[in-house]
Amino acid sequence: MGVEQPSLTRYGWLSIFAAVSTIALKSYAYWLTDSVGLLSDALESLINLVAAIIVLFVLGIAARPPDDSHAYGHDKIEYFSSGAEGIMILLAAFSIAYTAWERLWHPMPLQKLDLGIAVSVFASLINLIVARILIGVGRSRHSITLEADGKHLMTDVWTTIGILFGIGIIAVANRFEVSLNLARQLGMSGWEILDPIIAILVAVNIVLAGLHLIRRTISGLMDAALPEDELTVITDVLDKFAASDHITYHALRTRYAGARRFMSVHVLVPGDWSVQQGHDLLETIEQQIMAKFDSIDVDTHLEPIEDIASWQHLATDPVDQACSINLKGNSSA
């Protein structure tokens, strides 16, 4: 049984608004200060804009109901979005690292730091608010696209905080005419060596975020099982019915695709039950499981508990071998 998902595209537009706003603000901050750290921050926001456009496109497709060509819905397209975003995050990180490395060996003085910091703080507040909204909606609606986009924006927020911390030290140090011997050796005046160093550290942090996102994307495309806590919710319902000596289950399979979850299970009942009895039991099981989730497709298969054919695949199926102890304890076969 499937449930059509309401469109989340308005959050895609919100992400685009945040990206355009922060690109403008951070580019202005870079123009004011000539800080490679702030340049790296602006480049990451440019990646955010491209990602937000992809998010908007993907969310529109994911909201479409199942059709003849896509009987299980369109939710899985979200993983293409999160994968593309992960790759773009890595590209942004390498661009930042390259620019910072060049500035490390070809230093330039920074200027108007106070104003540049103020502009960047305002841009970071926009990202923070939008990121919390996207992560919250992504988790409540089980959209990896929105959650990934929100976490990307949070990475941007932490990037900005790190950069502003370093630039703030530079501003204070320069005001009191403090200097480092290493900086002098590289031709820099004062603490300005922190600018490219912090940019490189930011790039490393962004690489880790991108790799994590790509790992989650691969997991979704490989039809990984539902998380342990969600699987427990399902088995708790099934175990309640399997407490009877005349009913048990096996062949439980789960997976997820974007916001939608899927599961299938074989339910074994006495062979002399009527079709109506079996149907009523499966309907009850399905309804109780569906009541526990916002969106889940439940596929149940009825089998006679006395028939040896109902149990034959247990010997070769590793998933069912894991639950064979439970089956032996609850079956009368």
Side-chain angles (χ1 to χ4, degrees):
M1 299 182 182
V3 179
E4 180 178 343
Q5 294 297 300
S7 175
L8 300 174
T9 52
R10 63 182 179 277
Y11 297 103
W13 285 111
L14 178 62
S15 182
I16 289 177
F17 163 77
V20 171
S21 300
T22 54
I23 286 173
L25 290 169
K26 291 178 180 180
S27 296
Y28 179 57
Y30 164 65
W31 181 77
L32 287 172
T33 63
D34 200 29
S35 163
V36 70
L38 291 179
L39 173 61
S40 68
D41 211 13
L43 287 174
E44 188 177 2
S45 292
L46 182 61
I47 296 298
N48 290 347
L49 176 59
V50 177
I53 293 173
I54 295 176
V55 165
L56 181 64
F57 173 74
V58 165
L59 289 176
I61 296 178
R64 296 176 185 174
D67 53 36
D68 292 340
S69 300
H70 305 87
Y72 291 98
H74 302 77
D75 304 74
K76 214 166 189 177
I77 194 174
E78 292 202 34
Y79 294 112
F80 293 96
S81 170
S82 60
E85 188 161 354
I87 292 172
M88 285 187 291
I89 289 174
L90 295 181
L91 292 176
F94 290 128
S95 297
I96 292 169
Y98 176 78
T99 304
W101 184 257
E102 286 292 309
R103 178 62 63 88
L104 188 63
W105 300 105
H106 302 88
M108 294 181 65
L110 305 184
Q111 53 192 343
K112 297 182 180 179
L113 293 180
D114 294 345
L115 182 57
I117 289 174
V119 172
S120 290
V121 167
F122 183 65
S124 186
L125 287 175
I126 294 176
N127 272 342
L128 177 62
I129 294 171
V130 174
R132 299 314 303 170
I133 292 173
L134 295 182
I135 292 174
V137 174
R139 287 175 176 171
S140 64
R141 302 282 287 275
H142 303 282
S143 170
I144 189 177
T145 297
L146 283 183
E147 188 177 348
D149 201 37
K151 287 183 176 180
H152 187 178
L153 289 181
M154 279 305 301
T155 299
D156 200 354
V157 171
W158 287 112
T159 296
T160 304
I161 290 174
I163 290 171
L164 293 182
F165 178 75
I167 293 177
I169 292 177
I170 294 171
V172 173
N174 283 346
R175 183 167 296 179
F176 290 97
E177 298 181 353
V178 181
S179 63
L180 290 174
N181 291 331
L182 178 59
R184 287 171 175 164
Q185 292 174 12
L186 294 173
M188 288 184 171
S189 59
W191 290 67
E192 289 168 352
I193 191 176
L194 286 176
D195 183 39
I197 289 176
I198 289 175
I200 292 174
L201 294 176
V202 164
V204 173
N205 181 59
I206 295 173
V207 166
L208 296 176
L211 292 176
H212 174 72
L213 189 53
I214 291 174
R215 183 184 64 81
R216 286 193 61 192
T217 298
I218 294 173
S219 178
L221 290 175
M222 293 295 291
D223 287 332
L226 294 181
E228 190 65 31
D229 58 333
E230 295 188 0
L231 189 59
T232 299
V233 171
I234 294 173
T235 54
D236 283 347
V237 173
L238 293 171
D239 288 342
K240 181 175 64 175
F241 291 93
S244 167
D245 288 339
H246 304 292
I247 300 172
T248 190
Y249 69 92
H250 61 203
L252 175 61
R253 304 286 186 275
T254 65
R255 67 181 179 91
Y256 58 88
R260 192 182 300 275
R261 305 171 186 83
F262 299 87
M263 65 155 287
S264 64
V265 65
H266 292 191
V267 178
L268 289 77
V269 302
D272 58 0
W273 274 26
S274 67
V275 174
Q276 187 66 52
Q277 282 179 288
H279 171 76
D280 291 344
L281 174 66
L282 296 189
E283 280 292 316
T284 302
I285 292 174
E286 290 178 8
Q287 291 299 325
Q288 290 193 17
I289 292 176
M290 293 174 65
K292 303 289 185 180
F293 298 94
D294 294 330
S295 175
I296 185 169
D297 285 35
V298 182
D299 182 16
T300 53
H301 177 68
L302 195 67
E303 294 181 320
I305 200 170
E306 303 87 356
D307 191 343
I308 190 64
S310 302
W311 303 84
Q312 284 179 344
H313 70 289
L314 281 174
T316 57
D317 194 316
V319 176
D320 279 338
Q321 285 176 6
C323 64
S324 61
I325 296 177
N326 178 63
L327 294 175
K328 290 176 182 178
N330 289 324
S331 73
S332 60

